[in-house]
């Protein structure tokens, strides 16, 4: 991923985090991590939990604490991905083919079958935007995008950020709505690469980059902060040498 | 299927992530005054307080009595002693849920006993593990927790808020009743600890009932002997005994803040003072006299 | 309590602990504590958890750990008392009079409403043996002696040791059975001081003191061990000067 | 009512006792050999193993593979990596319950994936908090634990052992379905830690999923980097990070016992070796070759 692309995705995620008080970000998530750090830099009331680093480990109650913490309503935003994502916001982290006789195995559902239900603003992040990832229907629902009305569900998908565009998720319609396309993309190019149907916002425009002062903040202070957890990412993107991921 | 789709779960790895750690980018937390600390405690507040041996904020208790806002609903986690006794004796508590109240080895708490027998205090009798479990339910975000025991005791029979249901995993055709305890969420948890850092992380050592109470409570306010520099989470050897700042709303400094009760390894309970209290509080007048001296500092840590 | 009396009660409790692998003893329980230490001294497979001391605190999971540990089946024997104890093994730790308008308040039920159900061998220990303690029916059941057959109850009362005698508890009959009387007592003197009805074993005899070698062990090594938690008790009983409690 | 009846609750005070401590008069625990350590693990054993970052006993894993007893049913708490991968690849595990299996940041575990897609492994897919909660149920001695989320996912739909029931505390006339997870009791929990003392107390730091697993398991066996003199519980500053010996069945010493995985602050994961493994294990032959080197010590910590 080149620097311009990374900065654009950071801009997308950063915007989606507006108003969040506590943001949890997983490891292997340098872009969500950078976006959350940027959000926090601009809003001193934002707290961020970055998983994946021993340094400054903020939890002391073992593996269950993240889930308990989310269930307590203390986490406003979190990130999930998916080997497959469908138009109802269902995500598949288990495998391809008819479960249990799957033909290709992914690592597994992790905590998605819980966190997707209880974290109010789950941002789906998946750079690869192709018909094999963005499918009409996932082969296995690790966690569903929506639930029956009687199911306790304070959380769920808020948006889907990909390498081509940003979708908002409409819970009532159980559908994504295209909000903006990245430079070089169009509604048609997004449609051609998406296996599911989606709505299109009336005012779809080009995804906006970071404002100049935010960009300066990102390349300066945030680059240093993200390097603590993601030194290679930070070096590649902000160390003067743009590099492919 | 190429490598990219195989590694398409990146943002899921977060969940139990890599080395298993979690970086906190915390809010700085400025210590507050005792009066500001207790501000969230208001008429009707469900206030969780720890047992005598676990770190009791007698400093905040004094501030509460001085302020005089009543109508408190106390929850002891799972027992209390001098703290509940004083709040009840001073007329600030209308209700108490506890497995027991006693003045350490000196036994019964006289103002508590007087308030119960006179009917002034709504007493919700419970048993230690039921209180722990009800807080764990809130900790886990579930509406209830099942618990063994209890059935047929008068503790259970006097708790219409507890439900007896059948264990759905019992073999077919057999009965297996079990109690479902409703989740308990304190409005505020209040305790005293040895130290906190400037991020709001609080050292609690092995007193993990404080962790459960803080996880369950809407707000947790803490007095500490001292505010230390550096992060209490920095050293793995001692980090296991820390309540992380994400659960801590406010911290105030209070030296000897548990006196006359003890605190961890720092100081032991002042048995002589507790004995003087127990003797004085046998009468309402004696209690008033002791309390006046406690409030104006004539009774204070040596 | 004089030394001979204390040693006799230790003998009673020690006998009742035979075969227990893990014994939990509470604070303010020097006699059960001494009895358990003596049991352990003679059986290296016996483990003992003595509550009430910071030194060598064996628990690290907070206040719930004792109860979880007992629920896991890891504790074979425990001790309970009661402001009132009745002939069905019900114990009252809450108060006298018609609850909730009681006329006299005790501290409370503590963990009895749980532990009495899950610890296999609960030994009731109450030195005062008078009609006001040993009552026909307790005013408040902190924990019942027996439960309906459908109630999960691996635990319950095993015996009742008092200042006058030792009762065994018969779960099927829901009654105590007098097993032995202490020196100076008789079946009649026990009956006169007991508010509830009880059975009498065919071979009720005098409570046997400790064997000489056990007594030597108690006065030697165990006196030192119990002094760690109960220095005053140990000094009074084993320090050369018998003292009233 | 005289003082004696008032203080008639002595033997109850124990329950949350006095200063709140508990003296252990422990059994001495002699360290055993690796072969003796793994003796409780037999055909059909439900074996709980920790995630890669939490202290994995690769030393015991090697001993298991050398011994060759199969039919293991693995439970990852709640995920696994190289350990499950090797036990599966070596043909020792018939079943795995886990929220995920992956080789750290390198992603999918190839022998695991091959065993799943070929149908050789019975995979019970779950989600992290469901595993934690099922162990907590056993820890608390209750037959099940309720948990939010889950409903409607294919994870839930493929778990006939989970039950959906109504929350009995929901307002009348409203529906509120919630999943009841049956209590899970591992036969054996196995992990690696930095140190143990001669009483069998084990230092686990903040890795409290190990505590829950040990509380829930019938037996807990541990390898450690070293056996230390003195009691790990003696110093309050560090005692909070100790799994007490009452839960520990046996301890064996194994230097670099987690390698090529990391251990707490002592050593980090050997990324280069994991990468070599991931590359080799893309084929069965490559896996066999790597495993042979791991078994005979040609692949070992530097």
């Amino acid at each position: 991923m080149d620097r311009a692309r990374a900065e654009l995705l950071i801009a997308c995620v950063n915007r989606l985090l507006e108003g969040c008080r506590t943001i949890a970000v997983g490891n292997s998530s340098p872009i969500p991590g950078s976006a959350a750090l940027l959000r926090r830099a601009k809003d001193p009331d934002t707290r961020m939990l970055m998983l994946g680093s021993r340094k400054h480990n903020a939890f002391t109650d073992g593996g269950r604490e993240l889930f308990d913490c989310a269930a307590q309503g203390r986490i406003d935003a979190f990130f999930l991905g998916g080997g497959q994502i469908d138009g109802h916001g269902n995500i598949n982290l288990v495998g391809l083919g008819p479960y249990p006789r799957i033909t290709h195995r992914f690592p597994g559902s992790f905590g998605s079958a819980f966190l997707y239900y209880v974290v109010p603003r789950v941002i789906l992040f998946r750079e690869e935007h192709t018909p094999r990832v963005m499918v009409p229907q996932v082969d296995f629902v690790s966690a569903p995008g929506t639930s029956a009305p009687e199911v306790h569900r304070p959380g769920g998908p808020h948006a889907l950020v990909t390498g081509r565009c940003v979708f908002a998720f409409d819970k009532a319609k159980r559908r994504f709505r295209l909000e903006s396309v990245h430079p070089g993309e169009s509604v048609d190019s997004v449609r051609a690469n998406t296996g599911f149907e989606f709505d299109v916002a009336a005012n779809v425009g080009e995804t906006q980059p970071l404002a100049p002062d935010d960009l300066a903040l990102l390349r300066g202070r945030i680059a240093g902060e993200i390097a603590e957890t993601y030194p290679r990412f930070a070096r590649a993107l902000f160390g003067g040498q743009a590099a492919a991921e | 299927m190429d490598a990219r789709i195989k590694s398409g779960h990146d943002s899921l790895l977060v969940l139990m992530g890599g080395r298993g750690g979690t970086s906190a980018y915390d809010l700085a937390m400025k210590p507050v005054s005792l009066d500001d600390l207790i501000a969230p405690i208001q008429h009707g507040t469900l206030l969780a307080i720890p047992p005598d041996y676990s770190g009791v904020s007698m400093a905040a208790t004094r501030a509460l009595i001085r302020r005089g806002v009543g109508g408190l609903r106390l929850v002891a986690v799972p027992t209390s002693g001098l703290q509940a006794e004083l709040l009840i004796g001073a007329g600030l508590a209308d209700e108490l849920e506890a497995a027991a109240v006693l003045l350490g080895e000196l036994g019964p708490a006289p103002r508590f006993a007087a308030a119960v027998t006179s009917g002034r205090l709504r007493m919700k009798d419970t048993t230690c593990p039921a209180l722990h479990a009800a807080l764990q339910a809130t900790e886990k975000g579930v509406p209830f927790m099942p618990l063994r025991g209890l059935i047929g005791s008068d503790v259970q029979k006097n708790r219409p808020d507890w439900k007896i249901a059948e264990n759905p995993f019992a073999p077919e055709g057999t009965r297996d009743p079990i109690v479902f305890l409703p989740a308990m969420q304190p409005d505020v948890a209040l305790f005293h600890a040895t130290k906190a850092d400037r991020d709001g992380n609080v050292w609690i050592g092995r007193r993990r009932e404080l962790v459960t109470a803080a996880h369950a409570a809407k707000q947790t306010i803490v007095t500490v002997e001292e505010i230390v520099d550096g992060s209490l989470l920095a050293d793995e050897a001692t980090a296991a005994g820390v309540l992380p700042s994400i659960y801590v709303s406010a911290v105030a400094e209070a030296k000897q803040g548990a006196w006359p009760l003890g605190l961890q390894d720092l100081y032991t309970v002042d048995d002589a003072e507790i004995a003087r209290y127990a003797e004085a509080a046998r009468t309402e007048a004696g209690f008033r006299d002791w309390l006046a001296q406690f409030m104006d500092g004539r009774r204070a840590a040596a």
Side-chain angles (χ1 to χ4, degrees), chain A, chain B:
Chain A
M1 197 187 311
D2 67 20
R3 170 163 152 177
R5 170 52 55 99
E7 288 175 346
L8 189 73
L9 295 178
I10 290 168
C12 297
V13 175
N14 174 61
R15 242 168 251 132
L16 292 165
L17 292 172
E18 192 172 343
C20 288
R21 193 177 146 80
T22 303
I23 304 163
V25 180
N27 69 338
S28 305
S29 298
I31 286 176
S34 303
L37 284 169
L38 183 59
R39 169 62 49 198
R40 173 179 160 273
K42 298 173 65 183
D43 179 354
D45 285 340
T46 300
R47 185 198 297 260
M48 184 181 164
L49 298 164
M50 192 184 289
L51 285 72
S53 149
R54 278 193 70 81
K55 201 176 164 185
H56 309 306
N57 182 337
F59 284 145
T60 60
D61 204 25
R64 68 173 177 249
E65 186 167 5
L66 170 67
F67 308 103
D68 288 353
C69 192
Q72 291 154 27
R74 297 184 196 271
I75 294 176
D76 302 312
F78 193 68
F79 300 87
L80 289 173
Q84 291 180 323
I85 299 172
D86 74 21
H88 296 307
N90 301 317
I91 59 175
N92 173 9
L93 298 140
V94 159
L96 303 179
Y99 190 90
R101 298 310 302 256
I102 56 179
T103 55
H104 182 83
R105 175 74 203 195
F106 302 145
S109 299
F110 289 91
S112 63
F114 184 77
L115 291 174
Y116 210 27
Y117 293 73
V118 300
V119 175
R121 203 181 292 189
V122 175
I123 296 169
L124 299 174
F125 180 76
R126 181 79 167 100
E127 208 213 338
E128 180 180 341
H129 185 149
T130 61
R132 67 172 185 179
V133 173
M134 306 300 167
V135 296
Q137 192 171 0
V138 295
D139 291 351
F140 182 94
V141 179
S142 284
T146 58
S147 297
E150 70 271 18
V151 174
H152 176 80
R153 182 152 193 184
H158 176 66
L160 166 59
V161 177
T162 77
R164 298 186 193 276
C165 67
V166 177
F167 295 105
F169 188 74
D170 185 321
K171 273 176 209 188
K173 288 187 170 175
R174 303 183 59 226
R175 280 168 78 88
F176 287 107
R177 183 179 62 244
L178 184 63
E179 291 288 324
S180 74
V181 296
H182 301 342
E185 301 288 342
S186 65
V187 174
D188 285 344
S189 74
V190 168
R191 192 162 276 142
N193 285 284
T194 306
F196 56 76
E197 291 185 13
F198 54 86
D199 294 335
V200 178
N203 53 346
V204 169
E206 194 169 273
T207 305
Q208 289 303 299
L210 286 169
D213 58 329
D214 286 354
L215 198 59
L217 194 57
L218 176 66
R219 293 176 180 174
R221 170 177 159 191
I222 307 305
E225 290 180 349
I226 198 75
E228 253 189 51
T229 308
Y230 301 107
R232 274 179 296 193
F233 171 85
R235 200 163 47 241
L237 260 65
F238 306 114
Q241 45 180 121
E245 201 179 2
Chain B
M1 201 57 42
D2 75 4
R4 286 181 79 185
I5 200 165
K6 286 185 195 165
S7 64
H9 314 283
D10 285 0
S11 46
L12 248 286
L13 304 195
V14 311
L15 303 193
M16 289 305 301
R19 307 291 195 262
T22 305
S23 286
Y25 292 87
D26 274 316
L27 315 175
M29 191 177 288
K30 244 198 160 95
V32 299
S33 70
L34 275 175
D35 287 340
D36 286 348
L37 184 84
I38 63 169
I41 303 173
Q42 292 299 331
H43 192 95
T45 290
L46 189 65
L47 177 64
I49 54 175
D52 278 1
Y53 52 78
S54 192
V56 173
S57 183
M58 292 305 296
T61 304
R62 187 189 278 109
L64 284 166
I65 294 170
R66 179 172 296 121
R67 192 185 61 171
V69 173
L72 304 182
R73 296 180 298 139
L74 304 179
V75 176
V77 183
T79 64
S80 185
L82 190 63
Q83 183 177 29
E85 168 80 357
L86 292 192
L87 290 171
I88 290 164
L92 266 55
D94 291 351
E95 183 183 294
L96 170 64
E97 177 159 359
V101 180
L102 80 169
L103 297 178
E105 305 197 2
L106 290 160
R111 291 303 98 203
F112 158 70
V116 170
T117 52
S118 73
R120 264 184 292 125
L121 183 74
R122 282 194 307 277
M123 181 64 196
K124 295 172 86 172
D125 270 290
T126 184
T127 183
C128 308
L131 254 162
H132 293 303
L135 291 169
Q136 282 183 285
T138 304
E139 178 180 58
K140 296 201 80 60
V142 291
F144 67 92
M145 192 69 86
L147 194 68
R148 289 299 191 185
L150 311 176
I151 295 175
S153 70
D154 283 338
V155 176
Q156 174 259 315
K157 289 179 182 170
N158 283 279
R159 291 300 300 256
D161 53 330
W162 297 358
K163 289 186 195 292
I164 299 179
E166 287 296 318
N167 166 19
F169 293 93
E172 239 189 89
T174 65
R175 287 197 57 206
D176 183 15
I178 185 167
V179 173
F180 288 14
L181 304 161
M184 173 188 289
Q185 182 169 41
D187 295 312
V188 178
L190 166 67
F191 63 88
H192 184 68
T194 56
K195 56 189 172 182
D197 65 24
R198 294 182 198 285
D199 294 330
N201 299 302
V202 178
W203 167 258
I204 52 97
R206 292 193 242 181
R207 301 283 21 132
R208 295 196 73 80
E209 58 277 356
L210 300 176
V211 171
T212 311
H215 287 180
K218 290 180 196 159
Q219 291 193 60
T220 294
I221 57 179
V222 185
T223 54
V224 295
E225 293 288 316
E226 59 168 344
I227 310 277
V228 297
D229 293 325
S231 172
L232 289 173
L233 292 168
D235 182 0
E236 277 302 305
T238 54
V242 172
L243 174 69
S245 65
I246 189 170
Y247 307 101
V248 179
S249 316
V251 174
E253 216 168 12
K255 299 277 181 212
Q256 297 281 324
W259 183 88
L261 299 172
L263 180 64
Q264 299 261 357
D265 283 341
L266 254 66
Y267 46 92
T268 59
V269 57
D270 185 342
D271 287 318
E273 189 59 43
I274 301 289
R276 277 192 289 274
Y277 173 82
E279 181 59 31
R282 292 171 66 158
T283 66
E284 173 71 24
F287 168 76
R288 290 283 153 202
D289 185 53
W290 186 93
L291 187 65
Q293 297 185 28
F294 175 72
M295 294 305 293
D296 69 15
R298 274 176 292 155
R299 297 229 162 262

